[in-house]
Amino acid sequence: MIEPLDVIRGLAAMFGRPAPRVGQTPADVVHEENKWRLLRYVPRPEGIAFRTPVLLIPSLINRHYVLDLMPGKSFAEHLVAHGHDVYVIDWGTPEAEDRFVSFEDIVVSAIGRALRVATRTAKAESAHVLGYCLGGTLAVIHAALAPERVRTLMLVAAPVDFHDDGLLSKWTRTRTLDTSAVVEGAGNVPWPLMQGAFHLLRPTLPLVKAVTLAEKAWDEPFLDGFFAIETWGNDNVSFPGECWRTYIDELYRKNALMNGSLRLGGRAVELSSLRCPLLCVTFEHDEIVPHRSASIVVERVASTDKEHLHVAGGHVGAMVSKSASKKLWPTLRAFWTARDENDRLRGELMLRRDMVRVAR
């Protein structure tokens, strides 16, 4: 039983508690362009075990270090420790001039460049691509348009069908939301506007957090993780105006990705053109991306190698919790390593066949 005095001491100690250090896994900048950067996490001392690199694509709205939250709760750290060559896009902070950055600039140009640099640096032909949240939406669109460097595609809590029963879908389709007025008036869409919408999804969440803190004020490991997530959750960035307008008008309002009417660079984005191995991950208690909004991609792609993994947890917690490090992360790694092994065996078989032909 927890003594009341322990709770009081814990609550008092929180007032002077320093902000947690986040994003600690060592990384080098291998490419910079405008505000975004491509980071390569420093490989483990014993070297890289897998030839195919991993490219992580986070949401445009949040900082990339949600995938590198803190030691023990860092997906990037986990991958590096198991021998993967890991890259991540840091979207940076848009400034006033970035109001003209388009959806195509992000999906086609930036992600395309990140893939080219990552594969060239790794001396590989293609990469395993993981997109988280909106980053997954961007990843699936890019893969549909330019599949050449995408070895496998992993979508984690990534919306594809935007006409779902979620509140975000309903709010963005209201007539009173004038996207042109927002962009013309603000340029980039202010992050407090978007963060306010997420808070309205669960209005009682601040109270729940306060009660949880009171109950676990004595638990140092819990507090470290709690404040790390809070640091990330309150470190948001504004959305490039022109890109946001397309995002809302085409995806949320017209559901263009599902009905095949989305066009970028004069080309139609067709989910049915995707043929690479696919893993779709959804979370049972995800209030931001209802799982049907994400899982429907499995039905729409032409891939013969495709899986859907549905697990307990919420949009963020299920990906960064201690439980995720023990169950979810090893499952994600296994998806990649199995296909890397298939590639190795296929390559050895082709080499033997070539040798037989030469011998004859």
Side-chain angles (χ1 to χ4, degrees), residues 299-354:
E299 301 170 15
R300 293 301 186 94
V301 301
S303 307
T304 55
D305 180 2
K306 53 187 178 181
E307 299 177 16
H308 174 211
L309 176 63
H310 186 63
V311 298
H315 188 75
V316 178
M319 188 62 187
V320 303
S321 65
K322 189 171 290 185
S323 174
S325 68
K326 297 177 180 178
K327 298 178 181 178
L328 178 60
W329 297 352
T331 302
L332 303 187
R333 285 196 303 103
F335 180 83
W336 290 324
T337 55
R339 282 136 191 93
D340 285 341
E341 179 65 12
N342 288 342
D343 288 347
R344 185 185 67 80
L345 294 174
R346 191 179 298 112
E348 290 179 355
L349 179 60
M350 291 176 66
L351 179 60
R352 291 195 196 101
R353 288 175 179 171
D354 290 341

Side-chain angles (χ1 to χ4, degrees), residues 5 11 13 25 33 40 83 132 156 177 179 190 227 239 273 346:
L5 189 57
L11 289 172
T25 305
E33 189 171 321
R40 183 193 190 194
Y132 180 35
V156 180
L177 177 59
T179 55
F227 285 113
F239 207 122
S273 69
R346 191 179 298 112

Side-chain angles (χ1 to χ4, degrees), residues 130-151:
L130 180 149
Y132 180 35
C133 187
L134 173 55
T137 308
L138 305 178
V140 74
I141 295 173
H142 180 88
L145 289 170
E148 305 83 29
R149 290 183 174 83
V150 180
R151 174 63 188 91

Side-chain angles (χ1 to χ4, degrees), residues 67-340:
L67 298 171
D68 181 29
L69 197 61
M70 60 185 295
K73 290 187 175 182
S74 166
F75 183 52
E77 175 192 56
H78 177 85
L79 293 180
V80 169
H82 286 84
H84 291 278
D85 190 4
V86 188
Y87 300 75
V88 66
I89 297 177
D90 171 9
W91 292 115
T93 303
E95 297 180 6
E97 66 273 15
D98 296 305
R99 65 179 296 173
F100 302 108
V101 171
S102 69
F103 197 74
E104 183 177 332
D105 291 334
I106 297 293
V107 173
V108 179
S109 301
I111 293 179
R113 190 101 68 228
L115 271 169
R116 287 193 292 275
V117 173
T119 52
R120 183 174 65 243
T121 304
K123 296 181 174 58
E125 295 179 355
S126 58
H128 298 303
V129 176
L130 180 149
Y132 180 35
C133 187
L134 173 55
T137 308
L138 305 178
V140 74
I141 295 173
H142 180 88
L145 289 170
E148 305 83 29
R149 290 183 174 83
V150 180
R151 174 63 188 91
T152 66
L153 182 62
M154 190 177 293
L155 306 175
V156 180
V160 172
D161 183 356
F162 287 80
H163 282 188
D164 54 51
D165 294 328
L167 286 176
L168 287 178
S169 178
K170 294 178 180 178
W171 290 339
T172 51
R173 284 184 280 155
T174 57
R175 295 179 180 178
T176 52
L177 177 59
D178 188 335
T179 55
S180 293
V182 172
V183 173
E184 289 167 11
N188 296 322
V189 180
W191 65 262
L193 177 64
M194 295 180 290
Q195 189 179 51
F198 291 124
H199 286 169
L200 286 173
L201 292 173
R202 288 188 63 187
T204 59
L205 186 58
L207 180 60
V208 172
K209 289 179 179 179
V211 172
T212 303
L213 275 178
E215 291 177 343
K216 296 196 173 185
W218 54 273
D219 188 338
E220 286 294 323
F222 167 81
L223 294 178
D224 287 340
F226 177 89
F227 285 113
I229 292 178
E230 286 296 291
T231 297
W232 170 79
N234 290 288
D235 185 14
N236 296 315
V237 292
S238 298
F239 207 122
E242 193 56 40
C243 182
W244 180 81
R245 182 177 1 218
T246 299
Y247 173 52
I248 299 299
D249 288 346
E250 295 296 321
L251 298 187
Y252 269 106
R253 290 184 159 171
K254 297 179 183 177
N255 208 18
L257 184 54
M258 283 295 292
N259 61 37
S261 63
L262 181 64
R263 300 184 67 85
L264 294 176
R267 293 180 292 164
V269 179
E270 299 177 352
L271 293 175
S272 60
S273 69
L274 275 169
R275 289 177 169 78
C276 66
L278 170 76
L279 175 61
C280 173
V281 183
T282 55
F283 303 133
E284 177 64 27
H285 305 294
D286 192 335
E287 294 168 338
I288 295 174
V289 181
H291 65 80
R292 181 58 181 169
S293 167
S295 64
I296 196 169
V297 71
V298 179
E299 301 170 15
R300 293 301 186 94
V301 301
S303 307
T304 55
D305 180 2
K306 53 187 178 181
E307 299 177 16
H308 174 211
L309 176 63
H310 186 63
V311 298
H315 188 75
V316 178
M319 188 62 187
V320 303
S321 65
K322 189 171 290 185
S323 174
S325 68
K326 297 177 180 178
K327 298 178 181 178
L328 178 60
W329 297 352
T331 302
L332 303 187
R333 285 196 303 103
F335 180 83
W336 290 324
T337 55
R339 282 136 191 93
D340 285 341

